[in-house]
Amino acid sequence: MNRGMTCGLMAIPTLLGAAAALPYRAAEGTATFTHSVRFIPVRGTIAGVTASVDLDPANLAATTGAVTVPVVNLKTGIGLRDTHAKSDVALNAAKFPNATFKLEKLTGGKLVEGQTLSTTASGTLTVKGKSKAITAPVKATLQGGKVNVSTQFKFNPLDFDVRYPGSSDSVTVDVAFVLNGS
């Protein structure tokens, strides 16, 4: 899903007359990843990505929220590889079923109907119970009161104690979802 993540994440719709943050939610987003194992590129998907965001169009820096990626839904097209990736050696999905991104800051201007905004999300990525500060570029498009959000970023799985045998030290993750006003 090379539409641009991770860990995730937020967009700002223009709401006429609104001066305070309003809740937006997303369900059924997707994440895809590319990771090399023994020099072989492995691509996979994760369904069921959700997001919960409080958006303030007048103060983008005050936007907060979280994105949840259910690693228990990881699929690479090979069942045995999926089982290994979810095992306690790698993601330990039984104990840590979700990876999360907690949005702490969003930069960038306004989102205008039909136009795409490029911004940067800063926050904390948590994978396998380990947390690390990251920044990720985000693209957001307001269309009919909904906000299409996508991002792409890389991280080192070893920083999160994910040690799949033969794996590289870089994972590229793409995440996309649609935010709906509550």
Side-chain angles (χ1 to χ4, degrees), residues 1-4 29-33 44 150-152 173-177:
M1 166 170 92
N2 290 323
R3 290 182 261 163
T30 58
T32 61
F33 62 89
S150 63
T151 183
Q152 181 182 64
V173 179
D174 296 278
V175 176
F177 50 85

Side-chain angles (χ1 to χ4, degrees), residues 11-15 17-24 53-64 106 108-111:
I12 312 306
T14 301
L15 300 171
L22 298 174
Y24 278 74
V53 183
D54 289 326
L55 303 172
D56 183 349
N59 183 5
L60 300 183
T63 302
T64 60
L106 185 66
K110 285 184 173 182
L111 192 59

Side-chain angles (χ1 to χ4, degrees), residues 1-171:
M1 166 170 92
N2 290 323
R3 290 182 261 163
M5 175 177 190
T6 190
C7 132
L9 311 241
M10 307 307 117
I12 312 306
T14 301
L15 300 171
L16 298 176
L22 298 174
Y24 278 74
R25 306 290 177 256
E28 298 309 316
T30 58
T32 61
F33 62 89
T34 304
H35 182 66
S36 291
V37 178
R38 301 192 199 288
F39 305 106
I40 298 170
V42 174
R43 291 179 178 80
T45 62
I46 301 173
V49 172
T50 60
S52 176
V53 183
D54 289 326
L55 303 172
D56 183 349
N59 183 5
L60 300 183
T63 302
T64 60
V67 177
T68 301
V69 178
V71 296
V72 296
N73 295 345
L74 177 144
K75 295 195 185 296
T76 65
I78 298 175
L80 184 57
R81 181 170 53 202
D82 297 350
T83 300
H84 289 165
K86 296 178 200 178
S87 74
D88 59 349
V89 174
L91 291 167
N92 198 356
K95 185 173 180 182
F96 304 103
N98 298 308
T100 60
F101 175 78
K102 181 181 176 193
L103 176 67
E104 294 160 4
K105 182 179 180 184
L106 185 66
T107 60
K110 285 184 173 182
L111 192 59
V112 177
E113 180 73 28
Q115 295 181 0
T116 299
L117 170 71
S118 294
T119 185
T120 301
S122 301
T124 303
L125 177 65
T126 302
V127 177
K128 198 177 173 183
K130 308 257 187 271
S131 298
K132 184 174 179 166
I134 67 162
T135 59
V138 174
K139 292 187 185 270
T141 306
L142 177 63
Q143 292 181 326
K146 297 179 180 182
V147 183
N148 296 307
V149 180
S150 63
T151 183
Q152 181 182 64
F153 67 98
K154 293 181 180 187
F155 71 91
N156 183 341
L158 300 175
D159 290 345
F160 299 92
D161 199 28
V162 177
R163 303 186 182 283
Y164 192 89
S167 67
S168 70
D169 62 358
S170 180
V171 176

